[in-house]
Amino acid sequence: MSDIASRDLRQAVSGNRGMLRVANLTARAVGFVLVGVFTFAAHGPGTADVAVQIAVFTVTAVLMVVWALADRPATSGGRYAFLLPYVLGAITVMCGVASATPGGGNFIVLSVIAALSAGSGTSLAAGWIVVGLGVAAIEAAGLALGATAWVTVEYPGYLLVALLMGFNRRTHRVRADQSAALLAKSERLREEQAAVAALEERARIAREIHDVLAHSLGALGVHIQLTRAVLTDRNDVAQAVERLDQAHRMAADGLSETRRAVQALRGETLPLPEGLERLSADHRLRHDARVTFEVKGVPRPLPPDAGLALARIAQEALVNTAKHAPNQPVEMRLDYADADTSLVVVNPLGGDGDREGGLATANAGYGLTGMRERLLLLDGTLSAGRNGNDWVVMAKVPR
């Protein structure tokens, strides 16, 4: 869900709450007016009961205004929210007393509305206290005025039912608020995950650009400088041409590697066995060295990052072999085990048997040290070193 959609949802929820509050205020006002109309239209003037009912009705009108101020949302400056339990309690008690008077039964409607609001808008304890006071007022007034069982039994039951309905309403509102908060939290988490994914993708592209272009362009620059030195210092055209041929091959190899990197970023890499077979054939033709390639186990698809890392490690191992042990045979094995996929490259040590740096090559960012960093990101491992008279490079990635 986008930021605009989330903002629209929050605005819709806020708008619905505002409309619900207006509807509640309207319902209270209509109920209040109807209670007055039906109560006072049925009585003649001058009786004591009517005087009590008029007094209760007048005070209730004032309390209804205070009630409207007290239940304003906190975001709208609800400074009088602390008065809400007291207002509801007063309305419940006074209207309960009035409902026990002769002809004042309609006042129980206002007590029920107050009890409902106490259950949904105040604490659990406050709601029970409000209804408890209302029940006590009805019972006391009913006993004092000799009210019927309908008043002393049914009216308190109405208040209890209204209180329970208020509790249920509050539960639903709390769940709705929690759902809205959870939605907002999940939206923030989704945005953070998207940002992390974008950063990881940028880092991945940066690694590919660095590993391919930095190596190719750096090596190409060195060969151009050597060619210039050969021409200016020695005037050796034949060697200069050979250097230029090597630079041309490096440029072609760099272009091929760039294409393969772009394909890997798009998830369009060749199957790993096919790619390693091609590397073996290229090394065989270019360096006139025997290369054997073997696949053990049942080949299975690998994630693009894992396949590319193993292919780069094989390429770097072959480059090191050509540099440190030229014309030596190379054995390459790709093993699909149950727990991982491993690549092993073995070649006899040539005259340069100590391979200074172990895992380093001419370009530290592109060598096996850089490949080890790649494998660490994939929870893989890389080792390279002497094993008797052989040099062994082994890389593993999880299945």
Side-chain angles (χ1 to χ4, degrees):
M1 186 181 294
S2 64
D3 292 340
I4 296 177
S6 298
R7 184 172 62 251
D8 291 343
L9 178 60
R10 290 191 292 268
Q11 290 176 351
V13 172
S14 178
N16 289 336
R17 288 179 177 175
M19 293 177 60
L20 181 60
R21 182 172 184 274
V22 172
N24 287 334
L25 291 175
T26 303
R28 293 177 207 164
V30 171
F32 178 76
V33 172
L34 291 178
V35 167
V37 170
F38 287 111
T39 298
F40 299 120
H43 292 280
T47 65
D49 296 332
V50 173
V52 172
Q53 294 166 6
I54 291 175
V56 170
F57 191 78
T58 303
V59 176
T60 302
V62 176
L63 292 176
M64 294 284 281
V65 175
V66 179
W67 183 1
L69 295 174
D71 69 348
R72 294 180 65 190
T75 55
S76 301
R79 296 181 298 173
Y80 305 104
F82 70 96
L83 295 175
L84 185 60
Y86 303 101
V87 172
L88 295 177
I91 293 175
T92 304
V93 170
M94 288 192 302
C95 291
V97 171
S99 68
T101 60
N106 293 321
F107 278 93
I108 194 62
V109 174
L110 299 179
S111 292
V112 167
I113 294 175
L116 180 64
S117 297
S120 62
T122 63
S123 65
L124 184 66
W128 281 110
I129 292 174
V130 168
V131 171
L133 292 175
V135 171
I138 292 173
E139 295 297 334
L143 292 176
L145 299 175
T148 63
W150 175 266
V151 173
T152 58
V153 176
E154 296 291 339
Y155 286 5
Y158 292 158
L159 296 184
L160 292 175
V161 171
L163 178 65
L164 296 178
M165 292 176 62
F167 287 158
N168 186 60
R169 178 184 172 190
R170 181 177 61 180
T171 300
H172 283 290
R173 186 175 65 247
V174 169
R175 289 179 180 175
D177 292 341
Q178 291 175 345
S179 298
L182 182 61
L183 177 62
K185 184 177 180 180
S186 63
E187 181 62 29
R188 289 194 299 270
L189 179 61
R190 190 178 298 110
E191 292 174 355
E192 292 174 358
Q193 289 175 341
V196 171
L199 291 176
E200 290 178 350
E201 185 64 17
R202 291 176 184 175
R204 179 187 176 197
I205 294 174
R207 286 196 303 269
E208 293 302 322
I209 293 175
H210 176 270
D211 287 351
V212 175
L213 297 182
H215 172 73
S216 301
L217 295 178
L220 185 61
V222 171
H223 272 72
I224 292 175
Q225 289 178 351
L226 290 175
T227 302
R228 180 180 180 182
V230 168
L231 287 175
T232 56
D233 297 344
R234 303 179 185 177
N235 198 22
D236 189 343
V237 177
Q239 189 176 4
V241 170
E242 181 181 355
R243 293 287 184 183
L244 287 175
D245 289 340
Q246 292 177 357
H248 180 266
R249 288 196 298 271
M250 286 183 178
D253 291 342
L255 182 59
S256 299
E257 282 301 310
T258 302
R259 289 172 177 169
R260 279 196 287 266
V262 172
Q263 290 175 345
L265 290 172
R266 294 176 177 175
E268 300 174 356
T269 55
L270 290 173
L272 185 59
E274 183 179 342
L276 295 181
E277 180 65 37
R278 181 176 297 182
L279 287 176
S280 301
D282 291 343
H283 183 84
R284 189 182 303 114
L285 292 175
R286 183 173 299 171
H287 300 286
D288 193 22
R290 182 171 60 87
V291 181
T292 59
F293 175 62
E294 177 186 7
V295 178
K296 297 183 64 176
V298 179
R300 57 177 175 265
L302 294 177
D305 287 345
L308 180 62
L310 292 179
R312 288 284 172 80
I313 290 170
Q315 181 184 27
E316 192 65 31
L318 292 175
V319 169
N320 282 350
T321 298
K323 177 181 178 182
H324 298 287
N327 302 321
Q328 295 294 325
V330 180
E331 297 179 3
M332 186 183 303
R333 183 174 69 253
L334 180 63
D335 187 3
Y336 289 96
D338 293 336
D340 52 43
T341 301
S342 61
L343 172 69
V344 180
V345 182
V346 181
N347 66 274
L349 290 170
D352 187 9
D354 288 334
R355 293 199 187 184
E356 182 180 357
L359 294 178
T361 57
N363 187 307
Y366 187 75
L368 291 177
T369 302
M371 296 300 103
R372 169 176 283 172
E373 294 175 355
R374 285 175 175 267
L375 289 180
L376 287 176
L377 295 175
L378 303 172
D379 294 329
T381 59
L382 174 65
S383 62
R386 297 183 60 135
N387 184 12
N389 293 324
D390 295 330
W391 184 264
V392 180
V393 176
M394 177 180 292
K396 291 184 178 181
V397 293
R399 178 170 182 174

